[in-house]
Amino acid sequence: MTIPGLDEPLNASSLIALEFKTDLQRYLSAFPAAPVHSLQDILDRGDFHAALEATFKLRNAAEPDADEITAVEARRSMVTALVRGTLEEHRLDALAYPTLRRRPVVVEEPQRGTNCQLSATTGYPAMAMPAGFTDDGVPIGLELLGPAWSDHRLVSMAYAYERASHPRREPPTTPRLVRDAAPAPVSWTARADGAPAVPLTFDPVSGRLSWELPADVVAAAVHRGDPGPDGPVLHRLVDPASPAARGALVLPPYQRPWLAEGRLRLVIQQPAGRVTIRLQPPR
């Protein structure tokens, strides 16, 4: 189904570029002790993620214009009327559409092609939910939008859809629940012939691996430990410039199965020589 005449007013219905700076300043004014009082203060202090820099500078440069805001609000009213009319004419409980008009991109790439402007423009409730996967395993989403005060109905529809279609799939690194709870961190002592005992703890939920090495260790690193010689260095734990014997790191998702399979090696250098210890939590 298409809604005739919707695209043009919807594409020019966003107020965020015009109101972000002033709305943020109004919000911050309620907290006089806050370290920042405006978007300019945030930019001056550098208290923002690098991915937001271009957007924040663009928003800060915007000068609100009353006539422009009035024109945008008129387009928003037009969009609301078109959506309300469609729902009433066809006696629909909700509109359903993809959350994106294009294939989702990987994390940290810009995600373009959103369809989620409709709720922000009309003020009508909307609910995004998982819809399944592409043929090559990329997750895709579906959004439901209903008339005013239909939030409970959207939740019910989304819940019924998920119960019927099971559109979720666990990532390969998601640990199994233990008695309906997240698994607890696992602690063990890694040993090898001629090597000191090394206490280790691994949290399967966060992927955090912590260790405590002997004080005389001058260098240590985690290597990929395929059968045969030690593989390449994956993580340096200790070196002469950073001699701390205790520490922790978060293993990337693709390395966590290697730990469970015993495919990681801890290689340490002591005055007496170099030793290799196989890393694998107890099952």
Side-chain angles (χ1 to χ4, degrees):
M1 170 186 287
T2 59
I3 302 178
L6 179 67
D7 288 350
E8 184 176 350
L10 179 62
N11 290 338
S13 64
S14 176
L15 281 169
I16 189 170
L18 301 173
E19 297 182 338
F20 183 89
K21 178 172 65 174
T22 54
D23 283 355
L24 178 63
Q25 187 166 343
R26 188 178 302 114
Y27 169 78
L28 291 172
S29 67
F31 306 94
V36 294
H37 299 92
S38 66
L39 182 55
Q40 183 63 57
D41 288 348
I42 294 172
L43 288 169
D44 290 343
R45 289 168 59 95
D47 286 342
F48 55 89
H49 192 280
L52 298 173
E53 181 175 12
T55 299
F56 276 7
K57 287 183 176 179
L58 187 65
R59 298 285 187 262
N60 194 53
E63 294 297 334
D65 179 271
D67 292 338
E68 188 175 1
I69 291 175
T70 299
V72 172
E73 289 176 338
R75 289 192 288 270
R76 293 166 75 89
S77 297
M78 185 184 305
V79 170
T80 304
L82 287 169
V83 172
R84 181 174 61 247
T86 299
L87 291 169
E88 293 174 352
E89 178 185 356
H90 297 280
R91 303 174 70 180
L92 301 174
D93 289 328
L95 299 175
Y97 43 87
T99 55
L100 293 172
R101 297 188 298 274
R102 52 163 287 177
R103 175 189 176 89
V105 299
V106 300
V107 175
E108 295 187 358
E109 287 188 11
Q111 191 73 268
R112 296 189 172 91
T114 178
N115 275 334
C116 299
Q117 179 66 27
L118 197 57
S119 174
T121 295
T122 61
Y124 287 166
M127 183 168 191
M129 62 184 187
F133 294 81
T134 61
D135 291 340
D136 55 349
V138 177
I140 55 177
L142 184 72
E143 182 162 283
L144 302 176
L145 180 137
W149 311 112
S150 65
D151 310 56
H152 65 291
R153 190 178 303 148
L154 297 180
V155 173
S156 296
M157 286 189 285
Y159 178 72
Y161 174 79
E162 290 198 43
R163 294 277 291 183
S165 62
H166 305 287
R168 298 180 181 272
R169 185 184 304 166
E170 290 182 354
T173 56
T174 300
R176 297 284 181 182
L177 296 179
V178 178
R179 299 183 184 87
D180 295 326
V186 179
S187 297
W188 77 103
T189 300
R191 302 175 186 274
D193 291 341
V198 177
L200 296 147
T201 299
F202 178 66
D203 183 350
V205 176
S206 66
R208 178 185 170 92
L209 177 68
S210 57
W211 64 85
E212 184 175 350
L213 299 172
D216 64 345
V217 169
V218 294
V222 174
H223 291 243
R224 193 182 70 218
D226 294 327
D230 295 328
V233 172
L234 301 176
H235 306 282
R236 293 197 179 277
L237 311 185
V238 177
D239 60 44
S242 303
R246 295 182 180 182
L249 62 91
V250 175
L251 293 177
Y254 71 92
Q255 292 179 11
R256 296 172 197 176
W258 296 355
L259 179 68
E261 296 162 4
R263 295 177 57 199
L264 296 182
R265 305 286 188 269
L266 173 62
V267 178
I268 61 177
Q269 183 70 44
Q270 294 177 286
R274 169 186 169 115
V275 293
T276 298
I277 303 173
R278 183 169 177 256
L279 298 181
Q280 186 175 27
R283 295 183 182 275

